[in-house]
Amino acid sequence: MTTPTLRAIGWNDFFEKQLAAVDAPSAIVARVSAHHGSQVVLYGETGEFRVPVQSAEAAGKVAIGDWLVLNAADNRAIQRLERTTLLTRKAAGEDATPQALVANVDTVFIVSSCNEDFNRSRIERYLAMTLQAGATPVVVLTKTDLCDDPAALVHQATQLHPGLSIEILDARCPEQAAVLQSWCGAGQSVALVGSSGVGKSTLANALGAGDLATGEIREQDGKGRHTTSSRSLHLLPTGGVLVDNPGVRELQLPDCEDGVQDLFEDVLRIICECKFNNCTHEGEPGCAVKAAIDSGDLDERRFANFRKLNEEQARNARTMAKRRERDTTRANKAAMARKRRR
């Protein structure tokens, strides 16, 4: 099944090994490119084609970037291949249900503009989501003309995670966007995430994704206008693929414990030095956190965001546990009702 066309859009040995276990000699494989309500756009060996959503999701719900094994006769999904990575966020509503965003991406460009949008706590949320997924995060700072000292923002972003790559550029300039091409080569998959209007579509255009709609900055608050309405996968001239995502004003993380712990490893090390195991870091004697904040070794904002994300995780975990309990109760009642009717 390996061909240059499939390899260019992300097919690799991980997926090839799974395909070997599929008992369907006439099967074809394709990657989910876009989701348009009643239809799903796929990209395969022969190019782009569309199938009804019922056919695409016959083997389970799909996300942009998923690989599907299809029956060649009717393009109905036989299997959704196991994912290498999956970016998720909390769906709208009170049930803390995870919403799949993008599957099988190697790198995530976390885009922030150099104006009022720059927010370290928000960037940390995207970092936690990316680390949880197992992808490589790269922070991309755009619209440098809107900031007097972009270098200061680069320094602040560098402190968020050891070894974090930071790139600063004018997304309107393809020559500057070229610094990102090392993550966009043949077979590589990247995703753009960030708030509405930070320049994601402009950056996608500069990388060669096509002619995506873009908007201008609003003068009254420095925020960009929302232009991308749905996520979609685009082929790049460098050989890889890119997924442009709609911007969000608030990113809620439904299940991100490992990502949060990875991101805040420095904070966890300090907590371990507290005199008491049950230290609440609210003024107890021997609190290593308070000492680190007082000495400047720990940013008070960073610790506050660490606590906020942990509390959010715990709250969402309780909500999901209650939902699972309700679902189990309903299923048991339905089973008992069926049994009585027999």
Side-chain angles (χ1 to χ4, degrees):
M1 187 62 68
T2 299
T3 69
T5 299
L6 294 179
R7 284 278 179 183
I9 60 172
W11 184 260
N12 56 38
D13 293 344
F14 177 80
F15 303 114
E16 188 79 31
K17 290 176 182 177
Q18 296 180 63
L19 186 63
V22 178
D23 185 18
S26 63
I28 61 173
V29 297
R31 196 168 188 190
V32 177
S33 174
H35 199 311
H36 297 309
S38 63
Q39 289 191 316
V40 173
V41 183
L42 303 176
Y43 198 94
E45 174 63 27
T46 59
E48 192 175 85
F49 60 102
R50 295 176 179 237
V51 301
V53 65
Q54 295 89 344
S55 297
E57 298 192 335
K61 289 285 188 181
V62 299
I64 306 303
D66 268 328
W67 282 97
L68 300 180
V69 182
L70 307 165
N71 186 321
D74 59 4
N75 287 338
R76 186 174 180 82
I78 300 170
Q79 183 176 336
R80 186 193 69 202
L81 297 182
E82 182 183 345
R83 297 151 168 165
T84 56
T85 60
L86 179 65
L87 297 179
T88 61
R89 71 170 185 178
K90 176 183 174 293
E94 300 297 326
D95 285 343
T97 306
Q99 177 190 9
L101 299 180
V102 186
N104 301 316
V105 293
D106 307 296
T107 307
V108 177
F109 292 154
I110 301 170
V111 186
S112 173
S113 53
C114 295
N115 58 0
E116 292 87 344
D117 176 77
F118 182 84
N119 183 297
R120 287 174 292 169
S121 295
R122 183 189 300 122
I123 293 174
E124 284 172 339
R125 283 181 175 269
Y126 284 109
L127 285 171
M129 177 182 72
T130 303
L131 294 170
Q132 179 74 25
T136 299
V138 177
V139 173
V140 181
L141 301 181
T142 64
K143 303 183 181 180
T144 55
D145 56 310
L146 303 179
C147 175
D148 294 332
D149 189 6
L153 301 187
V154 173
H155 176 73
Q156 291 179 42
T158 303
Q159 309 305 308
L160 300 181
H161 191 62
L164 179 63
S165 297
I166 314 290
E167 298 292 347
I168 185 166
L169 50 85
D170 185 338
R172 298 168 297 183
C173 180
E175 291 77 14
Q176 292 190 30
V179 300
L180 302 176
Q181 288 184 358
S182 61
W183 290 286
C184 303
Q188 294 179 296
S189 301
V190 300
L192 297 176
V193 299
S195 302
S196 297
V198 295
K200 297 190 299 300
S201 295
T202 301
L203 179 58
N205 288 340
L207 290 171
D211 188 17
L212 305 184
T214 61
E216 299 296 328
I217 286 285
R218 294 197 304 251
E219 293 184 1
Q220 65 268 30
D221 58 7
K223 297 179 186 286
R225 291 183 172 87
H226 175 81
T227 53
T228 301
S229 58
S230 62
R231 59 192 56 87
S232 53
L233 183 147
H234 306 272
L235 277 66
L236 299 177
T238 48
V241 296
L242 177 145
V243 179
D244 187 24
N245 283 278
V248 294
R249 292 299 181 193
E250 183 179 7
L251 176 70
Q252 288 279 324
L253 306 176
D255 183 13
C256 201
E257 182 178 356
D258 292 341
V260 171
Q261 290 189 353
D262 188 349
L263 177 62
F264 292 100
E265 186 179 0
D266 57 328
V267 178
L268 292 170
R269 283 199 305 268
I270 294 172
I271 289 174
C272 288
E273 297 173 2
C274 287
K275 182 177 180 179
F276 302 107
N277 292 334
N278 61 346
C279 182
T280 64
H281 321 300
E282 299 289 350
E284 293 95 330
C287 176
V289 170
K290 184 178 185 306
I293 291 175
D294 290 344
S295 67
D297 291 336
L298 176 61
D299 181 6
E300 188 171 6
R301 178 215 59 83
R302 182 167 170 81
F303 179 65
N305 200 37
F306 164 76
R307 298 188 83 164
K308 182 177 182 179
L309 291 181
N310 271 307
E311 290 167 1
E312 187 176 299
Q313 290 295 298
R315 183 172 61 253
N316 287 336
R318 289 192 299 269
T319 301
M320 285 190 286
K322 289 179 180 177
R323 184 188 178 199
R324 285 192 295 267
E325 184 178 350
R326 290 197 307 268
D327 291 345
T328 300
T329 300
R330 290 195 193 103
N332 290 339
K333 288 181 178 178
M336 291 177 64
R338 288 194 298 270
K339 186 175 181 180
R340 285 195 297 269
R341 288 196 295 267
R342 289 173 184 165

